């Protein structure tokens, strides 16, 4: 059942109740920074209450299922918390829930499985904020259609909406026959009324089915970040000021993570920022002066012990950690707009910097070492001149975290750094990879990488954070190299049917391949390519990018799909690859794994790639046709 | 007699240069030498006073050089005494600290580096601590376990080695590799020492 925003607090109370009998089990997805943030907030809360817990990082459905099998069936009241996983599957079946076990789902993945949201499912509590928008959750089956409810259950488990559609259709037909057969026999008034009611019920049932199909067939999309949901609880239970207001910062990171990885629209992001900005301005000492005048009249920066600030930031990734020039060159925002993979683009960028009046050698030095006058000039002039180079909305509202004089991190920096740690990127020496190799089960990352990321998110380990940022910069360079190469060569990005297709396995340079072993990084490449293609090409087409898999899965390839329309647009709907990937792989009977909580990621045997793409494009054409029909 | 106070200074140097938390063997020889030296000073003072009185002058009217000599010897004695006290006091501190580290039983090798009276001191101090900790008339808890009171009574640990199930006061915990658990401090402590889990902050 759904737990609405005003009841979040009680959900936490229930959790605390259950913890008296056995420790709370936390199953947390290793797939994104949002999960890390959500877990860290929950951890902080539980620690302050002394609630015993056991946390298990999980990389995919298979692992989740294994954990479910290991659940002791002792009938004790036990609470399980799912963070960014499970919401899209029927949790009861997936985990094989024993008696007395309750599951609290904090999942930003959508569509939610309707079995989980139905009101009479008291073992699964899905926390969801109404602010998210879509208020309507069709009930999986009404009380009327009792005879076909079992069939419906099974169809709900399926990923593909179309199979469900056909099954549901059959069910309806069957039902109609039954009812009409029953009607003919009796001419009684009472019976007629009953029949009428029944017809009405059938109609309602059919409408419910249609709603259900409509809901699922939107494809995969994202709701409110798990970190924000967790923060809501922390706020309601007055635990948001723990550990020097760390939960608030983590909520900010969670929101920024969704934005950076293009999981939510600009509107939702702005709404979220507004919400958090209020909290930030309510912090004690929020209006403390940032500078201090010494006795001699010299103005210096005041020492700040941890401070969160709300400010506009440039859309240049990790600006504070490398040079302005590199930050611009490697930020997808500038790269796609100025087409910096071409010589012309780079020249345009140089000329832009010249227009601003910044010497190139100043731009190429460490940003943090740039003189204040130059930084000021940058702020003033860039917006003025950027417009003529296509750089319109150069800044976005965000937050930054400072600690003392040394640490100053933008929320997006943290997201990049922690993402890199999650991905468990190979270090320059390669020794790191060996050390973590045995843990890298869940595709590049794995448990050890997850804990490393969580550790860095605690904001006390600045060495870990800078290691992450170093990784992130290397990865960003690799991304721009590969992305640039792909865009510069016309033949590399092929068109298969209505889809565009790019394979790193065919066209990527081997040295850079290790950077793309994680679904997150491959998706980042896909998003960058798609953004760039949108500016270059006239027609928008969905893009499929193929990358390498982790060593453990030799001969497999990872496939990531992004839609044609940008995600920063609420009307666009979800990622339809969630359905078509699986169907295409099943259709050609390839060896594949569709295990990730991210439905638009699939691993498929390398040998079947060609076939897979053809099948995928067929399914896509089918989808387009259906959409067109629906529109007409 | 060598330079005044040299031996005493060596004694202090010995103890101050030794590593904190260890107890160097009790330097009986040197302590005795310092005491002897002080006695020698004392005799010198008496001799000087005797000389002055023999000459028939009162002490107040003694020649400045004689008065100065007496003063120098006197100061040397004071200095020796002070150095000896520093030496003994520092050792006494360490002996007390020993009770908190090793418990009631004095290890053989450490016992040898203590003097006889220091051993007695340890026994008596230990008895005092025991009485304070005892149930009858005391606080009833072992206060030497956590010298700095823990902030929280539960700790977060990450499992490094697969260990299967563990029954705790809160229920059964499955110690699978790379999982994180919040356990009672006293229940986690043996696992941490064993290296099965590590503390996470």
């Amino acid at each position: 059942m759904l737990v609405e925003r005003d009841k979040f607090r009680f959900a936490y109370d229930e959790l605390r109740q259950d913890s008296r009998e056995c420790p709370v089990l936390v199953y947390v997805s290793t797939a994104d920074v949002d999960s890390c943030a959500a877990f860290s907030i929950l951890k902080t809360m539980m620690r302050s209450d002394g609630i015993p817990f056991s946390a298990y990082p999980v990389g995919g459905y298979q692992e989740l299922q294994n954990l479910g099998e290991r659940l002791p069936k002792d009938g004790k009241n036990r609470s399980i918390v799912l963070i960014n996983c499970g919401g899209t599957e029927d949790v009861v079946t997936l985990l094989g829930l024993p008696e007395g076990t309750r599951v609290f789902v904090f999942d930003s993945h959508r569509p939610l499985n309707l079995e989980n949201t139905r009101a009479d499912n008291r073992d699964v509590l899905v926390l969801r904020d109404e602010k998210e928008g879509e208020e309507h959750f069709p009930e999986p089956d009404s009380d009327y259609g009792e005879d076909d409810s079992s069939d419906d259950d099974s169809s709900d488990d399926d990923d593909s909406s179309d199979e469900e559609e056909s099954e549901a259709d059959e069910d309806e037909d069957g039902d109609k026959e039954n009812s009409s057969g029953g009607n003919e026999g009796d001419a009684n008034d009472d019976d007629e009324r009953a029949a009428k009611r029944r017809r009405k019920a059938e109609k309602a049932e059919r409408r419910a089915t249609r709603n259900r199909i409509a809901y699922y067939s939107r494809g995969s999309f994202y709701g409110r970040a798990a970190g924000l949901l967790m923060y809501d609880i922390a706020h309601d239970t007055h635990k948001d000021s723990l550990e020097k207001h760390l939960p608030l910062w983590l909520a900010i990171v969670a929101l920024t993570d969704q934005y950076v990885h293009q999981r939510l629209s600009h509107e939702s992001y702005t709404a979220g920022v507004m919400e958090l900005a209020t909290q930030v301005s309510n912090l004690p000492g929020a209006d403390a002066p940032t500078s201090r005048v010494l006795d001699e009249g010299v103005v210096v920066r005041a020492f700040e012990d941890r401070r969160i600030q709300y400010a506009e930031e440039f859309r240049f990734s990790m600006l504070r950690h490398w040079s302005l020039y590199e930050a611009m060159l490697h930020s997808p925002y500038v790269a796609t707009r100025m087409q910096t993979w071409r010589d012309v683009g780079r020249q345009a960028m140089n000329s832009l910097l010249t227009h601003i009046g910044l010497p190139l050698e100043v731009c190429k030095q460490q940003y943090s070492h740039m003189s204040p006058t130059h930084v000021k000039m940058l702020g003033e002039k860039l917006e003025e001149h950027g417009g003529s180079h296509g750089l319109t909305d150069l800044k976005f509202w965000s937050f930054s975290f400072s600690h003392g004089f040394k640490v100053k991190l933008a929320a997006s920096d943290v997201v990049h750094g922690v993402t890199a740690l999650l991905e468990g990127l190979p270090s320059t020496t390669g020794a790191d990879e060996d050390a973590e190799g045995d843990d890298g089960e869940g595709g590049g990352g794995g448990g050890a990488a997850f804990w490393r990321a969580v550790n860095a998110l605690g904001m006390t380990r600045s060495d870990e954070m800078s290691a992450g940022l170093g990784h992130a910069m290397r990865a960003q360079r690799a991304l721009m190299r590969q992305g640039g190469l792909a865009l510069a060569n016309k033949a590399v990005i092929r068109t298969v049917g209505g889809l565009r297709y790019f394979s790193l396995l065919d066209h990527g340079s081997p040295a850079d391949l290790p950077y793309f072993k994680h679904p997150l990084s491959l998706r980042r490449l896909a998003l960058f390519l798609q953004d760039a293609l949108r500016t270059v090409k006239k027609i928008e087409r969905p893009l499929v990018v193929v990358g390498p898999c982790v060593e453990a899965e030799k001969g497999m390839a990872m496939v990531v799909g992004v839609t044609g329309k940008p995600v920063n647009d609420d009307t666009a709907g979800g990622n339809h690859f969630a359905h078509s990937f699986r169907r295409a792989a099943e259709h050609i009977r390839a060896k594949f794994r569709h295990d990730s909580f991210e439905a638009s990621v699939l691993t498929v045997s390398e040998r079947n790639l060609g076939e897979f793409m053809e099948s995928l494009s067929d399914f896509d054409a089918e989808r387009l046709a259906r959409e067109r029909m629906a529109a007409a | 007699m060598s330079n005044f106070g040299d031996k005493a200074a060596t004694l202090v140097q010995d103890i101050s240069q030794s590593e904190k938390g260890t107890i160097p063997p009790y330097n009986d020889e040197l302590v005795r030498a310092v005491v002897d030296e002080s006695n020698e000073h004392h005799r010198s003072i008496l001799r000087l006073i005797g000389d002055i009185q023999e000459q028939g002058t009162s002490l107040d009217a003694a020649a400045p050089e004689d008065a100065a000599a007496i003063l120098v010897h006197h100061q040397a004695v004071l200095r020796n005494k002070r150095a000896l006290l520093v030496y003994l006091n520092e050792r006494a501190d360490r002996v007390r600290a020993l009770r908190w580290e090793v418990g009631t039983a004095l290890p053989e090798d450490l016992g040898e580096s203590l003097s006889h009276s220091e051993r007695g001191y340890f026994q008596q101090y230990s008895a005092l601590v025991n009485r304070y900790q005892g149930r009858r008339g005391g606080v009833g808890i072992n206060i030497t376990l956590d010298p700095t009171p823990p902030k929280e009574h539960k700790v977060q640990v990450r499992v490094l080695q697969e260990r299967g199930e563990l029954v705790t006061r809160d229920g059964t915990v499955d110690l699978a590799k790379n999982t994180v658990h919040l356990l009672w401090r006293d229940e986690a402590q043996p696992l941490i020492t064993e290296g099965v889990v590590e503390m996470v902050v």
Side-chain angles (χ1 to χ4, degrees), chain A residues 265-370:
Chain A
S265 68
H266 193 70
E267 287 72 38
S268 321
Y269 175 72
T270 317
V273 166
M274 285 305 166
E275 204 185 311
L276 291 171
T278 323
Q279 298 299 335
V280 168
S281 57
N282 283 344
L283 286 182
D287 45 1
T290 49
S291 58
R292 208 158 62 89
V293 182
L294 298 181
D295 290 343
E296 308 89 55
V298 186
V299 181
V300 294
R301 247 175 66 200
F303 182 83
E304 294 156 345
D305 170 43
R306 277 205 178 189
R307 179 166 193 165
I308 303 171
Q309 273 167 307
Y310 170 55
E312 268 192 305
E313 298 274 340
F314 280 114
R315 288 179 197 268
F316 308 150
S317 28
M318 299 174 275
L319 176 59
R320 288 195 183 81
H321 307 277
W322 49 11
S323 69
L324 172 68
Y325 190 79
E326 281 193 279
M328 285 180 77
L329 201 61
H330 291 106
S331 76
Y333 170 79
V334 178
T336 52
R337 278 169 184 73
M338 303 188 77
Q339 308 189 10
T340 47
W341 59 90
R342 293 162 61 194
D343 272 345
V344 195
R346 281 181 193 235
Q347 274 158 23
M349 202 177 103
N350 288 351
S351 90
L352 170 64
L353 290 170
T354 321
H355 269 296
I356 298 168
L358 285 177
L360 267 188
E361 57 270 28
V362 171
C363 299
K364 285 184 181 176
Q365 74 182 177
Q366 273 283 317
Y367 178 79
S368 46
H369 298 171
M370 259 167 81

Side-chain angles (χ1 to χ4, degrees), chain B residues 1-10 37 41 76 79-80:
Chain B
M1 199 184 289
S2 61
N3 288 339
F4 291 177
D6 254 7
K7 284 184 184 126
T10 326
E37 189 187 308
H41 282 304
R79 188 180 158 75
N80 279 348

Side-chain angles (χ1 to χ4, degrees), chain A residues 21-23 43 46-47 50-57 70 438-439 447-448 451, chain B residues 152-154 156 158 162 170-174 176-182 200-201:
Chain A
E21 279 195 53
C22 356
K43 178 189 79 182
M46 292 201 290
R47 252 179 104 161
I51 298 180
F53 67 84
S54 300
Y56 299 78
R70 282 170 67 175
D438 55 334
D439 297 314
W451 293 120
Chain B
E152 291 156 295
H153 47 267
K154 290 196 172 174
Q156 215 188 135
R158 178 156 86 99
E162 195 81 39
D170 293 326
T172 329
V173 170
D174 180 15
K177 196 178 170 191
N178 261 328
T179 56
V180 164
H181 309 267
L182 193 69
V200 201
V201 257

Side-chain angles (χ1 to χ4, degrees), chain A residues 11-86:
Chain A
Y12 182 71
D13 286 342
E14 299 273 311
L15 197 78
R16 191 159 41 185
Q17 290 284 330
D18 285 352
S19 76
R20 300 234 174 97
E21 279 195 53
C22 356
V24 175
L25 300 173
V26 185
Y27 298 160
V28 47
S29 153
T30 57
D32 44 32
V33 181
D34 178 26
S35 326
C36 297
F39 171 72
S40 299
I41 299 176
L42 181 66
K43 178 189 79 182
T44 311
M45 291 196 288
M46 292 201 290
R47 252 179 104 161
S48 79
D49 279 335
I51 298 180
F53 67 84
S54 300
Y56 299 78
V58 285
Y61 285 113
Q62 190 54 50
E63 279 176 50
L64 207 55
Q65 212 167 343
N66 293 347
L67 283 172
E69 278 162 20
R70 282 170 67 175
L71 282 176
K73 305 202 171 16
D74 47 10
K76 281 186 184 168
N77 284 335
R78 186 179 268 110
S79 279
I80 300 180
V81 178
L82 294 180
I83 297 179
N84 268 345
C85 56

Side-chain angles (χ1 to χ4, degrees), chain A residues 75-123:
Chain A
K76 281 186 184 168
N77 284 335
R78 186 179 268 110
S79 279
I80 300 180
V81 178
L82 294 180
I83 297 179
N84 268 345
C85 56
T88 58
E89 292 287 316
D90 179 8
V91 174
V92 178
T93 347
L94 183 71
L95 291 179
L97 279 195
E99 191 79 7
T101 308
R102 255 189 309 188
V103 185
F104 297 83
V105 182
F106 296 79
D107 197 351
S108 66
H109 295 102
R110 299 286 184 276
L112 289 170
N113 187 293
L114 297 176
E115 278 301 314
N116 294 337
T117 63
R118 56 193 277 180
D120 55 345
N121 188 350
R122 300 199 159 270
D123 292 334

